[in-house]
Amino acid sequence: MIDVVDLTVRYGVAVALHAVNLTVAEGEMVALIGPNGAGKSTLVNTLSGIQRPAGGTVSISGRLAHVPEGRQVFPDLTVDDNLRLGGWRIRNRDTGPIYEILPGLTPLRRRRAGRLSGGEQQMVAVGRALMARPEVLAVDELSLGLAPLVVADLVRHLRELNADHGLAVLLIEQNARLALDLCSRGYVLEAGRVVAAGTAAELAASPRVADAYLGVAG
Amino acid sequence: MREFLQYLITGVGSGCVFALVGSGLVVVHRVTRVVNFAQGSFAVIAAMTASTLLASGLPHGLAEASAVAVGAGAGLLVGLVAIGRPGTPPGASLIITLGLAVFAYAVEVLIWGDQPRSFAGVPGAVEFGGVRFQAHYLLIIGATAVVFAGTAALFARTDIGRALSACASNPYAARVVGIDIVRMGLLSFGIGGALGGLAGVLVTPIQLVTFDYDVTLIVGGFAAAVFGGLMRPLHTLVGGLLLGVAQSFVAGYGNAAYQMEVALVLLLAVMMRQAARAPAAEQEPA
Amino acid sequence: MARRAPAVAVGVGTLALPPLLSGSHLTVYILLGLAVMVTVGLSLLMGYAGQVSLGQASFYAIGGYTAGLLSVHSLPPVLGLLAAPLVSAAFAVVVGIPLLRLRGHHLAFATLAMQLILLSLVARADWAGGAIGLQGIPRLSVGGYEFADDISYAYLVWAAVVLTLLVARNIVASRPGRGLRALASGETAAAASGVPVGRYRLAVFALSAAFAGLAGGIYAFYLGYLAPGSFPVLLSIEYVVMAVVGGLGTLWGALVGATAIILLVQVLNTLGTQPGMPGYAPSVLSYAVYAVLLVLVVIFLPHGIVPAVRARLTRRASSGAV
Ligand SMILES: Nc1ncnc2c1ncn2[C@@H]1O[C@H](COP(=O)(O)OP(=O)(O)OP(=O)(O)O)[C@@H](O)[C@H]1O
Ligand SMILES: [Mg+2]
């Protein structure tokens, strides 16, 4: 699905990613965790073509959609128009199925997205990404600033999409526990380098991850 | 009463022209957040082009249409310079378009000289409610109505319109969903150029156009556009009509020399009112 | 001391220049000095207060008309010259209180509107000479000394430029100046750290008007004649070009920007008035040069020439050190 080989990305002279390797297989849910400024968003931005690689290769088979960090909706447009723009690349205008997958959006469809709550906006961002009929979804900071109940709801949706539609997910999270619970495999990115990788269980068990990300004392 | 009607019709005619220039500003601003100072120049360029084409024997209609196309091309060129380089902040783009408006002077004087130009519009006169006025006013009003209906439909009903609005609403998210914001910005400049060009070919039969007529047009157009916060086409139409009619009444019942002041005072009043309502932080930065 | 050397060299060099210049070159020298004064103010306004003014020539005009009107009504010319910056600054305060609530392109259009309104009011004011202009402005005299020839005006302008630069430099280095710099780096942050943003913006606006007003006053005595047509909108745009090209918020930038533009336009003017050139050549060339320089600098040297050169020099100096 996603195959990243020796990816290097620079902002001017600053190197944000150093020779990063990462794969996501079909139907797989993969976590990417790491501290602030590690380069997680840079990686997803490169996957979705917003950022240009300085070295290495990114190959993606199938369609990738991107839920960007920080609930990036189009504030002046209605929810329905936000969703439609998600289908811009593939000219998909049919928002009906999205309201079936995310019924919470139905009563909001005529509201302006900028006026919605954070959780509702995140739902719009997920729905908008689904409009691209993705085979793999890159979600940047699903839980950022959202109440646990809202996060649980979003997570349930991701699980369903994965189970029912075979959607592969690359989940970027600060909340490592959530990410490792949901995903089968994971990577730890620090200062632009992959410093650990493995199954969720392996990562959760490794002292380094437990220490820094799961808040388990020594 | 007859005078009133006469002034009203003339005012609506010139108001339509301001509204068209203003709508060009709105389209560009909505998509790029740039206020295009060269917007008046598109009108002048199109007016001059049309006069040359007509003088060289091209039939009416074809000449004006070609001139509007030239306006669109000029808009595209201005867009390329103003936003073609990714990361140019809107404030810098404003200064660039200001520079290009001055550059247009050089081009216009070089090609067409500094004498005023005019050409005939729709021939004949129409009588309505006891007043006779040039039939050309009907064309101005009709064309403006069609263009505004089209612009409103473009933004409200089409995917490309949504994508255009999305570019300024949230440029990052626009790129996330695969919208090429530079291309959309250029498209908006092209549309702006065509709208300005249309204003130019429509106004020339009722108003002599010199190369520096762009100042009058940009001030009037900006006054109209500010009415809609530089975002809403229909408010811009209302603003343009109010301005045109106010000017025409001032000229008719008062002193024709004060027409420009009407636009300027209205412009200042509208901006002050908006500034009083919105805290400074919400206005566009320089 | 070494840091002052370039300033002293330029100061002495320009002071020695007037006697070496012929008549038309002396005129350029004087007009250049006046342009520097206006540009210094505008550069502070744009660089420190972050505000575009497309109406800076109106302050120049107000200064000119103040000096001209007072002295044609047989007040001592020196009073007129002193009043010029004061009246301009007072006018800036009066219009600035409402106008400076606007930002960005709104303020740009508001200042443009201010100038257009002013021009048409002056053109209709018979007491100010109307559209024909104000004629018969006497030469400037201070005490018994009359500024009669161009050289004397050249020295007057030199002194006025030095005064402008010193005032501007001291203000930039003062405590309010540091507040201004905070203003430049972000208004919200400046307000949060206790800088009285509104008052400072108004003060810079008034200061820039005072500089322009003083320049306008000298211009009135030098030419002896003023008309609304001497202060077109394009003149305001020229000042913007000079300030932006040199580098906003730097005094050297204003100096370099104004000098570069004035000299370039002068050269092109000479070219454009050669026999065989069409009558419109000078104006076409000058429009083109303003436009092209402005656009190129904004795109390729967004901070202007002087900061770009400085950055290059420091880079060379620091790479030379290692
Ligand atoms: N547009 C940019 N220009 C310059 N540097 C950038 C840019 N975007 C990110 N960076 C830098 O690149 C590095 C990686 O940033 P990135 O946003 O990818 O981190 P992240 O892992 O997503 O962090 P967070 O958890 O805070 O979202 C950081 O040092 C950041 O400062
Ligand atoms: Mg991030």
Side-chain angles (χ1 to χ4, degrees):
Chain A
M1 222 45 315
I2 299 180
D3 211 351
V4 172
V5 181
D6 284 339
L7 176 66
T8 299
V9 177
R10 293 203 181 90
Y11 293 110
V13 288
V15 183
L17 293 176
H18 300 265
V20 165
N21 291 287
L22 175 144
T23 58
V24 177
E26 239 166 90
E28 198 183 17
M29 293 182 90
V30 174
L32 178 62
I33 58 180
N36 290 120
K40 306 179 299 289
S41 299
T42 302
L43 180 65
V44 215
N45 285 342
T46 315
L47 293 179
S48 68
I50 295 173
Q51 193 64 47
R52 213 170 279 157
T57 57
V58 170
S59 44
I60 294 168
S61 56
R63 276 189 296 273
L64 175 129
H66 177 180
V67 179
E69 180 174 359
R71 296 186 280 289
Q72 303 278 355
V73 295
F74 299 109
D76 315 326
L77 303 186
T78 63
V79 167
D80 201 56
D81 285 347
N82 266 270
L83 294 183
R84 272 175 185 246
L85 282 170
W88 171 256
R89 217 188 294 247
I90 61 163
R91 297 178 199 289
N92 171 23
R93 297 181 178 85
D94 184 9
T95 55
I98 306 300
Y99 295 108
E100 281 168 31
I101 300 170
L102 303 170
L105 289 179
T106 312
L108 308 175
R109 63 189 300 163
R110 304 241 160 274
R111 297 263 304 274
R112 292 218 304 167
R115 303 258 169 86
L116 302 180
S117 76
E120 289 165 342
Q121 291 188 353
Q122 190 69 306
M123 192 86 82
V124 172
V126 171
R128 187 182 62 196
L130 295 178
M131 278 296 286
R133 302 208 178 104
E135 284 135 310
V136 51
L137 189 65
V139 186
D140 196 349
E141 310 263 10
L142 183 72
S143 70
L144 190 72
L146 298 182
L149 223 58
V150 177
V151 176
D153 194 39
L154 289 166
V155 164
R156 185 175 54 82
H157 285 305
L158 284 187
R159 274 218 173 90
E160 277 171 17
L161 285 163
N162 177 254
D164 303 349
H165 303 266
L167 180 72
V169 176
L170 176 63
L171 183 70
I172 289 159
E173 263 298 334
Q174 298 270 352
N175 181 344
R177 192 177 302 278
L178 183 151
L180 293 180
D181 275 354
L182 185 62
C183 300
S184 53
R185 266 187 334 111
Y187 295 84
V188 179
L189 196 66
E190 284 178 10
R193 293 175 208 275
V194 174
V195 295
T199 65
E202 284 165 8
L203 287 176
S206 96
R208 171 170 203 168
V209 174
D211 217 28
Y213 300 101
L214 298 176
V216 182
Chain B
M1 190 59 212
R2 280 182 48 181
E3 271 184 344
F4 179 86
L5 206 56
Q6 182 78 54
Y7 298 149
L8 187 67
I9 291 167
T10 345
V12 166
S14 55
C16 284
V17 172
F18 293 137
L20 285 172
V21 174
S23 69
L25 286 170
V26 166
V27 171
V28 170
H29 181 261
R30 233 182 120 111
V31 178
T32 63
R33 290 291 185 267
V34 172
V35 173
N36 178 17
F37 229 97
Q39 186 63 38
S41 317
F42 305 148
V44 173
I45 289 174
M48 303 272 173
T49 306
S51 80
T52 301
L53 293 178
L54 286 168
S56 72
L58 221 64
H60 272 291
L62 190 57
E64 283 89 346
S66 318
V68 171
V70 169
L76 198 63
L77 284 178
V78 168
L80 272 174
V81 180
I83 60 161
R85 210 176 141 92
T88 312
S93 299
L94 171 83
I95 303 275
I96 294 177
T97 59
L98 181 67
L100 293 173
V102 177
F103 191 73
Y105 282 1
V107 174
E108 288 154 11
V109 175
L110 192 65
I111 301 181
W112 292 290
D114 53 10
Q115 292 308 302
R117 296 254 172 160
S118 190
F119 51 78
V122 177
V126 186
E127 212 178 291
F128 174 75
V131 284
R132 284 170 65 80
F133 56 93
Q134 293 176 46
H136 187 73
Y137 279 96
L138 292 181
L139 176 68
I140 296 181
I141 294 167
T144 307
V146 169
V147 163
F148 271 86
T151 315
L154 172 76
F155 281 118
R157 306 218 181 285
T158 68
D159 280 348
I160 196 127
R162 277 184 267 275
L164 284 167
S165 309
C167 288
S169 180
N170 185 340
Y172 175 58
R175 291 170 67 203
V176 165
V177 300
I179 297 169
D180 184 334
I181 54 177
V182 172
R183 274 219 343 239
M184 289 290 154
L186 292 178
L187 176 63
S188 75
F189 268 93
I191 297 174
L195 290 169
L198 184 62
V201 299
L202 287 176
V203 79
T204 317
I206 58 167
Q207 168 77 51
L208 288 175
V209 171
T210 44
F211 72 98
D212 56 2
Y213 189 57
D214 71 319
V215 176
T216 308
L217 288 175
I218 189 85
V219 167
F222 189 79
V226 153
F227 228 76
L230 291 165
M231 293 295 281
R232 288 183 290 278
L234 291 181
H235 289 66
T236 304
L237 178 59
V238 173
L241 292 178
L242 279 177
L243 173 60
V245 171
Q247 283 193 341
S248 164
F249 283 159
V250 167
Y253 293 117
N255 184 339
Y258 285 107
Q259 287 204 33
M260 183 80 162
E261 279 86 337
V262 174
L264 297 167
V265 170
L266 192 77
L267 168 62
L268 288 174
V270 172
M271 289 198 298
M272 289 299 153
R273 206 182 119 73
Q274 289 177 352
R277 279 190 310 187
E282 281 179 22
Q283 295 180 38
E284 292 295 312
Chain C
M1 197 62 232
R3 280 188 48 226
R4 300 240 172 98
V8 172
V10 170
V12 171
T14 48
L15 189 58
L17 211 50
L20 309 175
L21 294 175
S22 68
S24 67
H25 288 158
L26 212 47
T27 306
V28 174
Y29 181 97
I30 292 167
L31 294 180
L32 169 55
L34 298 178
V36 168
M37 294 169 66
V38 184
T39 308
V40 165
L42 182 61
S43 180
L44 288 185
L45 181 67
M46 289 179 73
Y48 281 92
Q51 305 304 325
V52 186
S53 164
L54 296 182
Q56 212 61 13
S58 24
F59 302 126
Y60 191 54
I62 288 173
Y65 271 96
T66 302
L69 282 169
L70 288 180
S71 50
V72 293
H73 289 101
S74 22
L75 263 82
V78 67
L79 269 186
L81 186 64
L82 292 178
L86 297 179
V87 173
S88 286
F91 178 79
V93 169
V94 170
V95 299
I97 288 172
L99 285 199
L100 289 177
R101 295 192 356 224
L102 304 172
R103 300 282 184 281
H105 47 250
H106 288 104
L107 182 62
F109 271 93
T111 50
L112 175 68
M114 167 187 84
Q115 175 162 0
L116 290 169
I117 291 175
L118 184 79
L119 285 181
S120 79
L121 290 183
V122 171
R124 237 167 278 136
D126 291 331
W127 51 270
I132 300 160
L134 184 64
Q135 307 189 8
I137 302 169
R139 301 239 116 189
L140 178 66
S141 53
V142 181
Y145 179 78
E146 192 189 61
F147 288 80
D149 55 356
D150 283 8
I151 288 235
S152 63
Y153 280 93
Y155 284 120
L156 177 67
V157 167
W158 185 90
V161 169
V162 170
L163 177 72
T164 304
L165 289 170
L166 286 179
V167 169
R169 202 190 67 123
N170 282 325
I171 283 180
V172 168
S174 70
R175 215 179 94 82
R178 290 197 298 278
L180 285 173
R181 224 159 325 164
L183 200 53
S185 62
E187 199 165 291
T188 323
S193 58
V195 177
V197 173
R199 283 223 315 268
Y200 280 2
R201 276 158 50 93
L202 191 59
V204 183
F205 194 56
L207 184 73
S208 76
F211 291 162
L214 180 60
I218 298 175
Y219 177 78
F221 291 117
Y222 173 61
L223 240 63
Y225 160 79
L226 294 170
S230 322
F231 309 97
V233 169
L234 199 66
L235 185 62
S236 290
I237 296 179
E238 279 175 42
Y239 295 131
V240 172
V241 177
M242 293 173 191
V244 169
V245 165
L248 295 177
T250 74
L251 302 183
W252 278 109
L255 210 60
V256 169
T259 309
I261 302 280
I262 295 264
L263 292 186
L264 204 57
V265 167
Q266 199 52 42
V267 168
L268 291 175
N269 231 337
T270 318
L271 272 181
T273 46
Q274 293 294 309
M277 289 297 259
Y280 53 73
S283 54
V284 166
L285 286 172
S286 57
Y287 295 147
V289 86
Y290 297 137
V292 170
L293 268 179
L294 182 65
V295 170
L296 288 182
V297 166
V298 172
I299 293 181
F300 295 108
L301 300 175
H303 300 291
I305 292 178
V306 167
V309 169
R310 261 192 203 144
R312 176 152 301 186
L313 288 182
T314 16
R315 219 176 305 144
R316 185 169 304 165
S318 61
S319 67
V322 285

mmCIF file of all heavy atoms in Angstrom, chain B residues 266-282:
data_model
loop_
_atom_site.group_PDB
_atom_site.id
_atom_site.type_symbol
_atom_site.label_atom_id
_atom_site.label_comp_id
_atom_site.label_asym_id
_atom_site.label_seq_id
_atom_site.Cartn_x
_atom_site.Cartn_y
_atom_site.Cartn_z
ATOM 1 N N LEU B 266 -17.952 57.624 0.180
ATOM 2 C CA LEU B 266 -18.693 56.379 0.417
ATOM 3 C C LEU B 266 -17.734 55.260 0.815
ATOM 4 O O LEU B 266 -17.980 54.507 1.764
ATOM 5 C CB LEU B 266 -19.446 55.996 -0.855
ATOM 6 C CG LEU B 266 -20.480 54.900 -0.678
ATOM 7 C CD1 LEU B 266 -21.718 55.451 -0.021
ATOM 8 C CD2 LEU B 266 -20.841 54.278 -2.017
ATOM 9 N N LEU B 267 -16.622 55.195 0.082
ATOM 10 C CA LEU B 267 -15.623 54.172 0.376
ATOM 11 C C LEU B 267 -15.127 54.288 1.816
ATOM 12 O O LEU B 267 -15.099 53.314 2.567
ATOM 13 C CB LEU B 267 -14.461 54.341 -0.608
ATOM 14 C CG LEU B 267 -13.175 53.583 -0.340
ATOM 15 C CD1 LEU B 267 -13.446 52.107 -0.386
ATOM 16 C CD2 LEU B 267 -12.128 53.939 -1.380
ATOM 17 N N LEU B 268 -14.756 55.510 2.193
ATOM 18 C CA LEU B 268 -14.250 55.709 3.551
ATOM 19 C C LEU B 268 -15.331 55.365 4.575
ATOM 20 O O LEU B 268 -15.060 54.691 5.577
ATOM 21 C CB LEU B 268 -13.788 57.159 3.735
ATOM 22 C CG LEU B 268 -12.503 57.517 2.999
ATOM 23 C CD1 LEU B 268 -12.208 59.006 3.123
ATOM 24 C CD2 LEU B 268 -11.330 56.708 3.550
ATOM 25 N N ALA B 269 -16.561 55.812 4.306
ATOM 26 C CA ALA B 269 -17.629 55.578 5.275
ATOM 27 C C ALA B 269 -17.859 54.081 5.478
ATOM 28 O O ALA B 269 -17.967 53.601 6.616
ATOM 29 C CB ALA B 269 -18.916 56.255 4.801
ATOM 30 N N VAL B 270 -17.884 53.337 4.381
ATOM 31 C CA VAL B 270 -18.145 51.899 4.509
ATOM 32 C C VAL B 270 -17.009 51.223 5.281
ATOM 33 O O VAL B 270 -17.234 50.403 6.172
ATOM 34 C CB VAL B 270 -18.318 51.252 3.120
ATOM 35 C CG1 VAL B 270 -18.395 49.738 3.248
ATOM 36 C CG2 VAL B 270 -19.564 51.778 2.450
ATOM 37 N N MET B 271 -15.773 51.599 4.962
ATOM 38 C CA MET B 271 -14.637 50.950 5.643
ATOM 39 C C MET B 271 -14.625 51.285 7.124
ATOM 40 O O MET B 271 -14.357 50.435 7.967
ATOM 41 C CB MET B 271 -13.320 51.372 4.989
ATOM 42 C CG MET B 271 -13.135 50.780 3.615
ATOM 43 S SD MET B 271 -11.437 50.821 3.037
ATOM 44 C CE MET B 271 -11.100 52.546 2.990
ATOM 45 N N MET B 272 -14.933 52.559 7.445
ATOM 46 C CA MET B 272 -14.959 52.965 8.849
ATOM 47 C C MET B 272 -16.004 52.179 9.618
ATOM 48 O O MET B 272 -15.793 51.727 10.733
ATOM 49 C CB MET B 272 -15.337 54.460 8.958
ATOM 50 C CG MET B 272 -14.267 55.382 8.481
ATOM 51 S SD MET B 272 -12.871 55.112 9.486
ATOM 52 C CE MET B 272 -11.557 55.492 8.650
ATOM 53 N N ARG B 273 -17.156 52.055 8.990
ATOM 54 C CA ARG B 273 -18.245 51.340 9.636
ATOM 55 C C ARG B 273 -17.848 49.890 9.900
ATOM 56 O O ARG B 273 -18.071 49.352 10.977
ATOM 57 C CB ARG B 273 -19.461 51.385 8.730
ATOM 58 C CG ARG B 273 -20.774 51.271 9.452
ATOM 59 C CD ARG B 273 -21.906 51.270 8.433
ATOM 60 N NE ARG B 273 -22.641 50.005 8.547
ATOM 61 C CZ ARG B 273 -23.460 49.735 9.563
ATOM 62 N NH1 ARG B 273 -23.642 50.607 10.504
ATOM 63 N NH2 ARG B 273 -24.085 48.572 9.624
ATOM 64 N N GLN B 274 -17.200 49.298 8.884
ATOM 65 C CA GLN B 274 -16.797 47.900 9.073
ATOM 66 C C GLN B 274 -15.721 47.782 10.137
ATOM 67 O O GLN B 274 -15.730 46.851 10.934
ATOM 68 C CB GLN B 274 -16.289 47.320 7.749
ATOM 69 C CG GLN B 274 -17.417 47.103 6.765
ATOM 70 C CD GLN B 274 -16.928 46.602 5.433
ATOM 71 O OE1 GLN B 274 -15.731 46.543 5.178
ATOM 72 N NE2 GLN B 274 -17.854 46.236 4.566
ATOM 73 N N ALA B 275 -14.803 48.773 10.155
ATOM 74 C CA ALA B 275 -13.736 48.719 11.148
ATOM 75 C C ALA B 275 -14.310 48.874 12.545
ATOM 76 O O ALA B 275 -13.831 48.276 13.507
ATOM 77 C CB ALA B 275 -12.712 49.809 10.872
ATOM 78 N N ALA B 276 -15.370 49.690 12.656
ATOM 79 C CA ALA B 276 -15.969 49.895 13.969
ATOM 80 C C ALA B 276 -16.626 48.616 14.461
ATOM 81 O O ALA B 276 -16.671 48.354 15.657
ATOM 82 C CB ALA B 276 -17.001 51.025 13.892
ATOM 83 N N ARG B 277 -17.119 47.824 13.519
ATOM 84 C CA ARG B 277 -17.805 46.594 13.943
ATOM 85 C C ARG B 277 -16.845 45.443 14.197
ATOM 86 O O ARG B 277 -17.023 44.677 15.123
ATOM 87 C CB ARG B 277 -18.843 46.190 12.895
ATOM 88 C CG ARG B 277 -20.120 46.986 13.044
ATOM 89 C CD ARG B 277 -21.191 46.409 12.182
ATOM 90 N NE ARG B 277 -20.693 46.208 10.806
ATOM 91 C CZ ARG B 277 -21.468 45.838 9.813
ATOM 92 N NH1 ARG B 277 -22.733 45.582 10.019
ATOM 93 N NH2 ARG B 277 -20.971 45.690 8.607
ATOM 94 N N ALA B 278 -15.824 45.316 13.324
ATOM 95 C CA ALA B 278 -14.891 44.193 13.480
ATOM 96 C C ALA B 278 -13.646 44.682 14.213
ATOM 97 O O ALA B 278 -13.102 45.721 13.863
ATOM 98 C CB ALA B 278 -14.507 43.652 12.115
ATOM 99 N N PRO B 279 -13.194 43.981 15.224
ATOM 100 C CA PRO B 279 -11.945 44.378 15.865
ATOM 101 C C PRO B 279 -10.794 44.292 14.869
ATOM 102 O O PRO B 279 -10.832 43.494 13.930
ATOM 103 C CB PRO B 279 -11.774 43.358 16.989
ATOM 104 C CG PRO B 279 -12.693 42.234 16.677
ATOM 105 C CD PRO B 279 -13.770 42.766 15.802
ATOM 106 N N ALA B 280 -9.800 45.142 15.089
ATOM 107 C CA ALA B 280 -8.704 45.270 14.138
ATOM 108 C C ALA B 280 -8.068 43.931 13.801
ATOM 109 O O ALA B 280 -7.678 43.668 12.677
ATOM 110 C CB ALA B 280 -7.653 46.218 14.691
ATOM 111 N N ALA B 281 -7.953 43.072 14.797
ATOM 112 C CA ALA B 281 -7.231 41.820 14.592
ATOM 113 C C ALA B 281 -7.884 40.968 13.514
ATOM 114 O O ALA B 281 -7.233 40.132 12.897
ATOM 115 C CB ALA B 281 -7.174 41.038 15.887
ATOM 116 N N GLU B 282 -9.194 41.201 13.268
ATOM 117 C CA GLU B 282 -9.851 40.342 12.291
ATOM 118 C C GLU B 282 -9.703 40.854 10.867
ATOM 119 O O GLU B 282 -10.068 40.185 9.931
ATOM 120 C CB GLU B 282 -11.342 40.213 12.621
ATOM 121 C CG GLU B 282 -11.575 39.225 13.748
ATOM 122 C CD GLU B 282 -13.037 39.114 14.107
ATOM 123 O OE1 GLU B 282 -13.890 39.445 13.281
ATOM 124 O OE2 GLU B 282 -13.307 38.693 15.240
#
